[in-house]
Amino acid sequence: MPTEWTNWSGSLCFTPNTIAVPADEDELVAIVRHAALAGRTVRVVGAGHSSTPLVETSDLLVSLEQFSGVLEHNTAARTATVGAGTRLHALGKQLHAVELALENLGDVDVQAIAGAIGTGIHGSGKTLKILSSQLVGLRMVTASGELVEWTEQEQPEELRAARVALGTLGIFTTVTLQLQPAFQLHRREWCAHVEDALDHLEQLVEQNRNFDFYWYPRSDEAKLRTMNSPEARQPDLAFARLLDEQAGWSHEIIPKQRTLRFDEMEYALPADAGPACFRDIRQRVKAKWRRSVGWRLLYRTSAADDSFLSTNYERSSVTISLHQNNSLPYQAYFADLEPILRAYGGRPHWGKKHTLLAAELRPLYPCWEQFQHIRQRLDPQGLLLNTYLRDLFGIDQEALR
Amino acid sequence: MTHGASGRTTWAIPGGHIPLASTGHEPTFVSCDKLCVLNTSATDAQLALTIYYSDRDAVGPYPLSVAARRVRHLRLNDLIEPEAMPLEVPYACVVLSSVPVVVQFSRRDSGQAATAITGGIAFPAAE
Amino acid sequence: MTGAIGARRWAIAEGYIPGQSTGPAPQFTSHEAACILNAGPADAHVTITIFFSDRDPVGPYHVTVPARRTLHLRFNDLDNPEPVPCDTDYASLIESNVPIVVQHSRLDSRQAENALLTTVAYPVGG
């Protein structure tokens, strides 16, 4: 009896024909080979946090939840190999137990590591890249049912494709991550008027390891978050009021715990376009969206990398995120602001709401064709695609047959 | 200096209507509906708001707390949990508190100069 | 002649003294007032405590409203034990040895676009 599957926010639901929860690689290989023979399609799902239809299928949905845990680690090399389905929250704790840590984390930590990598999630910090940049090795089951292992040394080009691949190159079973020794952070949270925050923005971004701010559309105030090593001099902001401060291990200090569910749109702008884009967004939201939107917007920074489909491909970014309560309508709000984000050269977050397809996306990614070439080579029949991904990648359904 | 609790554990505000437009520096002059909750007792107060509308189901509880011997002034426009309230829509609010508190309701409308507002809770003539 | 009316304990949860004004003083000076009526035959010895959102209460402030008199007390004028800060959310608890009636008012002349309304919510029970 097929059961309905719903994502974290509730805005994405569909009914797969089958949900498989393989216990190990052998079982996964068998599932994929059987699906290939039967002419079925397969989508892989992590924690279900994405709200674009990346995992949507009426056919076979494969969950990675049993591929969990730190399998091995190398303290000297600062690497660890972990199950692809390991949730970031658990991963942070388990890595800490072996005195290692991810360089950065996003605002939430409920995602599976493979999903976080697959969709290009990131935290905030001028020098900090997307989480995927820490991927230096992987094992995956390809569409032909083979187990393939890639490492940065042996397959550097393929790794650049795999780092943001939306689960279309293969089903990851384990990932090897380049980590750091466990480290502490001192976090301060401040309240300021958004104009004051914007006047000091450059300095805030430059002078803090991690910096982001939330802007409250109904009060024009901003909540600023600065995070630095406890040994560093902590910032003192004359224009802001200190609300809170905490020091601790990175995996406890960086993510925010929240239970309230939301839908989100996020675009990555070229870093120097960030402030101007934000000003336009702010003006539009105050003029038109206060009536129905109370949730704060998030402004973050991140560093350039060379993963083919990274939203930070060869440019450092400012990301601007819109949120709406999951019980309230989001479509009109997001649709109204999206053109502003696009006008500044924005690239949408792969796992959050956006309306772009191949024709609009291809020009944003210089290495689009290199990615498609690798994907096509690994999965010529499109076993790992759904309708949305075909539209997203501009793959002609006829050409696959 | 201690006083013990003052007020009631349940309060009602029938006349809610958060204005849409604001003029002037924010947040100081942002148009808003505000609840001011005074807890004179020695126990922290846990509150829950329920918002009633004319044409759809009530929404809530909106959780709120006021520490012992403190006052809290809260703009209803700022709430997002469980969901942001719509502006410029008539509503009513019922406040439930774990300890007796005093609740006062106020509104600022800075939308234009030519506005003066007045109002108050009607006189409760009989039980 | 009527006797004492009102109650011995009053609370105004919505306190705020605006820090700026527009227009000639003193009529248009932004201020907050508690208007106290003592209709009874005995002087009212009134004690005021000011509550804040983020620090302990301050007081007692002592005020006398003579028998059969009214006093429009501006919170701006209180200074013993300390002035009530402007531009700060606060509340006041007003206690008297004899029944009084208290009404709260505010004049906020900071900018033209500034219509204000305030009312005590309806106390249901408990």
Side-chain angles (χ1 to χ4, degrees):
Chain A
M1 171 71 142
T3 44
E4 192 180 65
W5 186 94
T6 313
N7 81 323
W8 177 84
S9 73
S11 65
L12 186 68
C13 23
F14 57 89
T15 306
N17 179 279
T18 318
I19 299 180
V21 188
D24 55 35
E25 279 177 346
D26 289 343
E27 203 180 320
L28 177 58
V29 166
I31 287 169
V32 174
R33 286 189 181 161
H34 184 84
L37 284 172
R40 299 182 76 179
T41 58
V42 180
R43 288 307 299 139
V44 61
V45 65
H49 200 254
S50 292
S51 58
T52 43
L54 298 171
V55 305
E56 182 171 294
T57 181
S58 53
D59 206 338
L60 178 55
L61 187 67
V62 172
S63 165
L64 290 177
E65 63 199 71
Q66 302 227 54
F67 291 80
S68 188
V70 174
L71 304 170
E72 59 185 24
H73 70 279
N74 183 326
T75 310
R78 299 167 184 178
T79 58
T81 299
V82 312
T86 314
R87 303 298 193 254
L88 292 177
H89 185 72
L91 182 59
K93 289 188 181 160
Q94 290 176 30
L95 289 176
H96 185 70
V98 297
E99 296 176 348
L100 291 171
L102 290 159
E103 180 189 50
N104 202 11
L105 279 164
D107 214 44
V108 297
D109 60 357
V110 301
Q111 307 94 320
I113 182 68
I117 287 170
T119 55
I121 78 152
H122 62 94
S124 190
K126 190 183 182 218
T127 60
L128 304 172
K129 300 179 189 174
I130 63 174
L131 257 70
S132 307
S133 62
Q134 293 163 88
L135 180 72
V136 294
L138 62 92
R139 280 169 71 87
M140 65 179 175
V141 177
T142 63
S144 54
E146 286 172 63
L147 254 176
V148 157
E149 208 165 314
W150 285 349
T151 64
E152 196 175 38
Q153 286 92 331
E154 304 293 320
Q155 289 89 17
E157 175 98 342
E158 285 83 348
L159 253 285
R160 291 174 66 197
R163 286 200 179 103
V164 182
L166 312 183
T168 62
L169 299 189
I171 299 178
F172 291 8
T173 56
T174 73
V175 295
T176 302
L177 305 168
Q178 180 62 62
L179 300 162
Q180 297 200 332
F183 64 99
Q184 297 214 323
L185 284 175
H186 186 120
R187 180 186 74 213
R188 285 187 161 180
E189 292 187 13
W190 315 77
C191 179
H193 192 275
V194 71
E195 292 280 356
D196 291 327
L198 293 172
D199 287 344
H200 294 87
L201 191 54
E202 205 176 308
Q203 162 201 334
L204 286 162
V205 169
E206 292 295 322
Q207 292 179 5
N208 295 285
R209 180 188 190 273
N210 297 62
F211 167 71
D212 58 31
F213 74 84
Y214 286 102
W215 171 63
Y216 293 83
R218 286 180 169 181
S219 68
D220 227 6
E221 289 182 298
K223 177 179 275 185
L224 317 179
R225 286 192 308 170
T226 58
M227 296 189 233
N228 292 287
S229 157
E231 279 85 51
R233 202 177 67 84
Q234 302 306 321
D236 261 314
L237 307 180
F239 58 89
R241 188 166 44 99
L242 183 65
L243 295 175
D244 188 49
E245 64 187 311
Q246 269 185 62
W249 296 105
S250 59
H251 66 288
E252 286 165 340
I253 292 292
I254 300 177
K256 288 190 79 71
Q257 303 310 319
R258 69 165 61 83
T259 50
L260 197 55
R261 300 202 174 198
F262 54 85
D263 280 301
E264 184 177 351
M265 163 174 281
E266 180 187 293
Y267 268 72
L269 297 322
D272 47 22
C277 182
F278 177 79
R279 285 196 157 87
D280 283 359
I281 295 280
R282 171 176 169 230
Q283 187 172 45
R284 184 70 178 164
V285 170
K286 280 177 78 171
K288 201 168 170 207
W289 293 102
R290 273 188 162 171
R291 185 191 294 272
S292 51
V293 177
W295 205 302
R296 55 200 185 177
L297 281 67
L298 177 58
Y299 185 105
R300 298 188 282 176
T301 56
S302 58
D305 68 275
D306 66 359
S307 315
F308 294 150
L309 293 187
S310 166
T311 49
N312 295 351
Y313 180 79
E314 290 196 340
R315 69 182 198 200
S316 55
S317 294
V318 160
T319 62
I320 296 176
S321 307
L322 319 174
H323 300 76
Q324 176 61 304
N325 289 99
N326 72 335
S327 53
L328 293 175
Y330 66 84
Q331 289 91 334
Y333 171 42
F334 291 175
D336 189 62
L337 276 296
E338 192 171 27
I340 299 177
L341 297 161
R342 291 189 62 201
Y344 281 90
R347 294 168 175 156
H349 190 289
W350 294 105
K352 304 182 187 183
K353 301 291 188 193
H354 69 91
T355 63
L356 305 196
L357 296 175
E360 296 98 7
L361 290 165
R362 192 181 291 113
L364 300 175
Y365 292 95
C367 286
W368 178 271
E369 292 307 331
Q370 280 99 309
F371 175 85
Q372 299 301 340
H373 183 75
I374 290 172
R375 190 214 65 75
Q376 173 73 15
R377 177 164 54 84
L378 281 166
D379 184 16
Q381 303 304 315
L383 178 91
L384 299 174
L385 298 176
N386 61 15
T387 313
Y388 175 67
L389 283 163
R390 289 196 197 97
D391 291 341
L392 201 67
F393 288 159
I395 296 164
D396 181 13
Q397 197 147 347
E398 295 311 305
L400 288 170
R401 297 279 165 259
Chain B
M1 183 188 15
T2 56
H3 294 94
S6 316
R8 297 286 189 277
T9 58
T10 310
W11 295 83
I13 298 130
H17 192 275
I18 308 170
L20 175 62
S22 301
T23 309
H25 189 264
E26 298 183 7
T28 318
F29 291 105
V30 76
S31 291
C32 59
D33 276 2
K34 209 160 66 156
L35 282 187
C36 300
V37 183
L38 171 61
N39 178 7
T40 58
S41 79
T43 310
D44 292 347
Q46 305 303 328
L47 285 73
L49 311 184
T50 304
I51 308 293
Y52 295 83
Y53 296 100
S54 56
D55 57 357
R56 58 178 168 122
D57 286 348
V59 179
Y62 289 77
L64 198 60
S65 61
V66 185
R69 301 167 73 225
R70 295 290 183 272
V71 64
R72 189 149 170 206
H73 290 200
L74 171 78
R75 291 189 301 259
L76 294 179
N77 332 8
D78 291 347
L79 297 174
I80 60 156
E81 180 172 359
E83 67 184 40
M85 291 175 61
L87 306 189
E88 236 181 25
V89 166
Y91 71 91
C93 175
V94 171
V95 181
L96 292 174
S97 175
S98 59
V99 301
V101 290
V102 178
V103 174
Q104 188 160 347
F105 170 82
S106 64
R107 174 175 306 135
R108 177 193 312 284
D109 189 336
S110 66
Q112 61 165 21
T115 299
I117 37 178
T118 187
I121 291 286
F123 177 65
E127 277 288 301
Chain C
M1 268 194 287
T2 55
I5 51 177
R8 290 189 172 84
R9 206 168 187 229
W10 295 82
I12 303 169
E14 210 252 315
Y16 190 90
I17 306 171
Q20 268 124 29
S21 311
T22 307
Q27 315 94 294
F28 294 106
T29 305
S30 293
H31 68 265
E32 179 137 273
C35 306
I36 305 174
L37 167 63
N38 177 7
D43 290 353
H45 297 293
V46 176
T47 303
I48 302 169
T49 308
I50 305 292
F51 289 79
F52 297 99
S53 59
D54 56 359
R55 57 180 170 114
D56 282 349
V58 171
Y61 297 80
H62 296 287
V63 163
T64 301
V65 185
R68 296 169 58 228
R69 293 291 183 274
T70 183
L71 173 70
H72 286 204
L73 170 73
R74 289 196 179 191
F75 284 93
N76 312 33
D77 294 342
L78 296 175
D79 65 1
N80 183 7
E82 63 188 60
V84 181
C86 292
D87 294 324
T88 305
D89 293 340
Y90 73 94
S92 54
L93 187 67
I94 300 168
E95 295 168 291
S96 170
N97 61 325
V98 296
I100 52 175
V101 182
V102 175
Q103 182 167 337
H104 168 228
S105 73
R106 178 182 309 136
L107 187 152
D108 183 346
S109 67
R110 286 177 294 175
Q111 66 173 30
E113 302 85 350
N114 198 23
L116 299 176
L117 162 77
T118 190
T119 181
V120 177
Y122 178 63
V124 174

